[in-house]
Amino acid sequence: MKSKNWLALALAMVLAVTFLTVSCAKKAVEAEPAPAPAPTVTTPTDAERQAAEAAERARLEEERLRAEAAAAQAAKAAFVNENVHFDFDSSALTPRAQQVLRAKAEYLRANSALRVVIEGHCDERGTAAYNMALGERRADSAKAFLVNLGIAENRIGTISYGEERPIDPRSNEEAWAKNRRAQFVIR
Amino acid sequence: MNNRYLPLLALIGLLLWPGIVRADIQYIDLTNPFLRKIPIAVPVFKALTPNGNEQELAAPISDQVVEMLNFTGYFKSLDRIGFLYDPRSGGITRTELNFGNWTTVGAELLVTGGVSVLGETLELELRLFDTFKAEMMVGKRYRGVIGDQRKMVRRFCSEVIQVLTGHPGVFDSRIAFVSTVAGNKEIFACDFDGTNVRQITRNSSISNFPHWSSDGRYLAYTSFKEGPSRIVIRNLQNDAETTLNYKGVQIKPSWVPHRFEMAATLSFTGDQEIYLLTGDGKMIKRVTNHAGINVEPTWSPDGKMMAFVSNRAGTPQIFVLEIESQRMHRLTYQGRYNTQPSWSPKGDRIAYSSMDDGRFNINVIDIDGNDPIRLTHNQGDNEAPSWSPDGSLIVFSSTRTGRSQLHVMTAFGTDQRRLLVMDGEQSHPNWSPNIPQ
């Protein structure tokens, strides 16, 4: 039993040596022009390529994130800066106002943690106390529209500033139209 | 505020002569007292003592009498240059005066005065005469300290107006208003004639719509100091404030005459309705009941009726509601924007602001909605009328000078003039009742 094992082991060793010799000879032939340093050269090239690829991926990712952030920023800016406008002495939502509010609803749906305050404002032409009430009705009608589109009521607060906070202080049609607004402020 | 007038507790008004005022003589026609101004002569007062600066005090005090009497709109004070007689060189009493000197220059009324100074004590004796009848109508002696002369003049003018009209006039009233002079809109108050301006609020926020209680002890207003607009009730004696706590907007409080109650707009139901509240803001009851805007309550002098603005007819218009019967009628039909009603203390008329062609003007209308009359014309925007306590004058804001400033006119729209000069913009004046000091 024991001698049989030894025999097998010896045979295996011979075979192994033969194999090694053959492969070494082959390799030596192939690797002749670029001897010893060869492996150390190919390995860095790989790493570099991988690093470049990683960098490119990172750059693309960064670009994507930047674009995404810019888009988010733009969406946020649009959400905050685009006001809902009204006709004189009216809190009714015009088709354009409804369009603006639909975009607001979309944004609120995409940013479900967001809570907002809708400020109701008037132009300077009415009288101050009446405009306090009108401003509230404007904020309320914008809120009601969003709630009808499925935005949770408790995410939306309202406040009326009447005619006290115009964004355009001039006294002309253009300024008045700008100042009759519901304005969104992120809480 | 009270300390300043403490020395005046010693001020004594003495009847110098029992004036004979006949009831059948009507000096000022109250149906339109401004139609004919009564020519009045107020020569420079006479120094009665040789002790100090009575000579220097006499001229400004006599000018103060002229200014105060002119403020009422009842008089045409005559230029002193035309006078034939200078009481400083003669007497100031009935027996010493030759009334022919005064009737000749067209004066129907004459005021003479004497100024005495003794140490810090100032004594004024002031008389009003009917020159044609050669009768004294008012004769008073006032004693106080130097510096009290304005208060003495005010008392004398009240006596004069009382004798001529049967009412005490406006001399013990003040006017609260909103000014941007300190940067933000804050509440201020001045005397009836625009003098003695004081800042009342320092909220560093928007404060608006001041309204005096009829005892003059409280001023209610609307403020954004806590975020949304809140009604604040200020005790003017200790400057303590109560802020109302109702959800939604709170707008323009209006005290019920002679009661510790007020009406104001609240929106906790979702609609802007007018409610009756206690003077410290507790709910009594809802007064209006109509979806939409209901704002700017103003009370009849007996507190039984309330006028207010509602958009229930499609545009802002003024309505009158009888509280007990709930009977209501629409007051204004002309124009598409009628707001800021103010009920006259006489009870018969309501002043308001009406927009026409993009411009606001002050109108008055009787309680049944008849005869709306426009009082301001082609001079910028004219808004926020408020009546003097005797119903003879209206204070309002006007942009006729290029920015919003306070102006005064008679109840008939005559004698329009600026009340006071101040930096910034002034708006929303509210005239107090006479508050005896």
Side-chain angles (χ1 to χ4, degrees):
Chain A
M1 233 355 221
K2 212 172 186 177
S3 58
K4 231 180 201 172
N5 280 350
W6 275 110
L7 188 67
L9 184 64
L11 189 66
M13 283 182 78
V14 171
L15 273 171
V17 169
T18 316
F19 263 108
L20 275 172
T21 318
V22 171
S23 67
C24 270
K26 267 190 181 166
K27 203 163 199 170
V29 173
E30 283 176 359
E32 204 84 56
T40 48
V41 171
T42 52
T43 311
T45 309
D46 256 5
E48 261 175 25
R49 190 166 43 77
Q50 276 163 16
E53 270 170 19
E56 177 65 7
R57 267 200 308 278
R59 194 185 64 76
L60 285 173
E61 177 66 6
E62 206 173 284
E63 209 164 77
R64 192 183 64 77
L65 285 176
R66 227 194 335 260
E68 221 167 62
Q73 201 62 47
K76 186 179 176 181
F79 181 78
V80 172
N81 296 333
E82 191 166 15
N83 295 328
V84 180
H85 292 289
F86 297 86
D87 292 337
F88 176 70
D89 186 26
S90 171
S91 57
L93 298 170
T94 62
R96 169 73 190 135
Q98 295 183 22
Q99 194 183 327
V100 173
L101 282 167
R102 272 188 212 99
K104 303 255 192 242
E106 219 161 275
Y107 186 80
L108 285 167
R109 264 195 292 271
N111 298 271
S112 56
L114 210 63
R115 298 163 78 87
V116 295
V117 174
I118 307 177
E119 300 178 352
H121 297 272
C122 305
D123 66 29
E124 62 174 5
R125 283 183 303 166
T127 47
Y130 183 83
N131 276 342
M132 284 292 306
L134 181 61
E136 185 176 52
R137 296 194 79 81
R138 284 176 177 166
D140 283 350
S141 57
K143 175 178 174 171
F145 191 84
L146 294 177
V147 171
N148 279 337
L149 289 177
I151 307 300
E153 201 178 341
N154 60 12
R155 294 174 63 194
I156 311 167
T158 57
I159 188 169
S160 171
Y161 285 107
E163 60 181 64
E164 304 296 337
R165 293 190 176 176
I167 42 175
D168 188 334
R170 293 172 304 156
S171 296
N172 58 37
E173 286 294 345
E174 194 193 338
W176 293 329
K178 266 193 236 170
N179 292 334
R180 292 190 300 266
R181 70 201 191 275
Q183 188 170 340
F184 281 63
V185 175
I186 292 171
R187 271 203 268 202
Chain B
M1 187 160 172
N2 285 332
N3 293 346
R4 201 169 164 274
Y5 291 116
L6 265 180
L8 276 167
L9 292 176
L11 186 150
I12 307 160
L14 294 169
L15 199 62
L16 292 174
W17 220 276
I20 305 152
V21 183
R22 293 196 193 111
D24 57 327
I25 301 161
Q26 194 179 30
Y27 286 91
I28 294 174
D29 171 15
L30 290 174
T31 59
N32 188 345
F34 311 103
L35 214 54
R36 192 190 81 89
K37 289 177 184 295
I38 305 177
I40 188 168
V42 186
V44 174
F45 297 160
K46 183 180 181 178
L48 299 178
T49 48
N51 295 331
N53 54 347
E54 52 278 277
Q55 202 74 54
E56 296 137 54
L57 287 170
I61 293 173
S62 45
D63 289 345
Q64 222 161 32
V65 170
V66 172
E67 280 162 26
M68 274 196 205
L69 292 179
N70 276 349
F71 187 84
T72 63
Y74 296 143
F75 306 100
K76 173 173 176 268
S77 69
L78 300 175
D79 193 335
R80 290 178 185 141
I81 286 174
F83 294 171
L84 303 175
Y85 173 75
D86 187 345
R88 280 179 295 183
S89 57
I92 55 170
T93 62
R94 192 181 71 88
T95 47
E96 294 163 316
L97 289 162
N98 175 359
F99 290 101
N101 285 332
W102 300 104
T103 52
T104 305
V105 297
E108 294 175 24
L109 295 173
L110 168 68
V111 172
T112 64
V115 182
S116 307
V117 172
L118 186 66
E120 282 300 296
T121 305
L122 172 70
E123 200 173 281
L124 287 187
E125 53 178 274
L126 300 170
R127 293 174 177 84
L128 172 73
F129 298 99
D130 177 324
T131 55
F132 283 91
K133 293 202 198 69
E135 274 176 10
M136 188 172 78
M137 302 174 72
V138 176
K140 290 275 171 177
R141 181 179 293 132
Y142 302 95
R143 191 180 302 129
V145 296
I146 293 171
D148 289 342
Q149 50 267 38
R150 181 176 155 83
K151 168 121 182 162
M152 300 180 189
V153 167
R154 225 163 53 187
R155 286 215 180 159
F156 175 70
C157 289
S158 291
E159 297 284 347
V160 170
I161 298 305
Q162 178 77 48
V163 162
L164 297 176
T165 69
H167 302 284
V170 301
F171 304 106
D172 285 324
S173 63
R174 287 175 61 77
I175 295 167
F177 58 96
V178 175
S179 177
T180 60
V181 68
N184 297 295
K185 284 189 174 177
E186 300 278 9
I187 312 287
F188 288 71
C190 61
D191 281 359
F192 70 94
D193 58 355
T195 61
N196 197 15
V197 175
R198 297 202 190 152
Q199 185 169 349
I200 304 223
T201 62
R202 286 183 169 77
N203 291 331
S204 301
S205 171
I206 301 161
S207 295
N208 233 341
F209 315 128
H211 194 261
W212 300 89
S213 64
S214 38
D215 58 5
R217 288 164 68 184
Y218 296 90
L219 195 66
Y221 64 96
T222 309
S223 169
F224 284 86
K225 65 177 174 171
E226 292 182 6
S229 71
R230 291 286 170 257
I231 288 169
V232 181
I233 299 151
R234 188 184 181 93
N235 180 332
L236 293 171
Q237 289 174 329
N238 59 14
D239 292 342
E241 289 193 336
T242 305
T243 303
L244 303 203
N245 186 21
Y246 294 98
K247 199 164 84 66
V249 82
Q250 302 177 9
I251 317 170
K252 202 168 183 180
S254 175
W255 292 93
V256 185
H258 311 296
R259 269 191 281 182
F260 191 58
E261 289 174 9
M262 66 174 68
T265 297
L266 307 173
S267 70
F268 59 83
T269 63
D271 281 303
Q272 294 79 19
E273 301 279 5
I274 295 170
Y275 296 82
L276 187 64
L277 307 168
T278 64
D280 46 11
K282 293 186 191 72
M283 177 63 62
I284 298 174
K285 65 174 178 181
R286 179 163 165 173
V287 178
T288 60
N289 201 338
H290 193 280
I293 294 175
N294 301 280
V295 288
E296 302 191 298
T298 178
W299 293 91
S300 63
D302 62 6
K304 289 179 175 164
M305 290 190 278
M306 185 191 86
F308 65 101
V309 171
S310 174
N311 67 346
R312 63 189 67 192
T315 57
Q317 299 292 344
I318 299 167
F319 294 78
V320 173
L321 177 68
E322 212 176 308
I323 298 295
E324 208 172 288
S325 66
Q326 286 289 301
R327 267 208 308 268
M328 194 175 65
H329 69 269
R330 178 174 164 179
L331 191 72
T332 51
Y333 285 92
Q334 289 182 12
R336 297 180 52 78
Y337 204 108
N338 295 305
T339 60
Q340 303 182 324
S342 174
W343 207 308
S344 157
K346 286 182 183 167
D348 56 342
R349 286 188 295 171
I350 288 174
Y352 61 98
S353 307
S354 181
M355 186 162 73
D356 186 21
D357 249 352
R359 285 290 182 195
F360 276 101
N361 280 295
I362 310 290
N363 286 20
V364 290
I365 192 166
D366 76 22
I367 301 311
D368 298 322
N370 301 317
D371 305 325
I373 299 164
R374 178 183 289 195
L375 301 184
T376 55
H377 304 268
N378 307 322
Q379 288 190 292
D381 283 311
N382 301 278
E383 289 188 35
S386 175
W387 298 84
S388 63
D390 64 351
S392 69
L393 300 169
I394 294 171
V395 63
F396 60 104
S397 67
S398 177
T399 60
R400 63 187 62 182
T401 55
R403 61 191 161 103
S404 181
Q405 292 189 296
L406 301 189
H407 288 69
V408 178
M409 62 185 164
T410 70
F412 294 83
T414 59
D415 300 273
Q416 298 192 14
R417 71 274 195 189
R418 193 161 54 184
L419 179 70
L420 79 169
V421 180
M422 203 171 160
D423 285 343
E425 302 221 314
Q426 280 66 243
S427 59
H428 301 289
N430 179 252
W431 209 317
S432 84
N434 276 316
I435 309 164
Q437 289 169 355

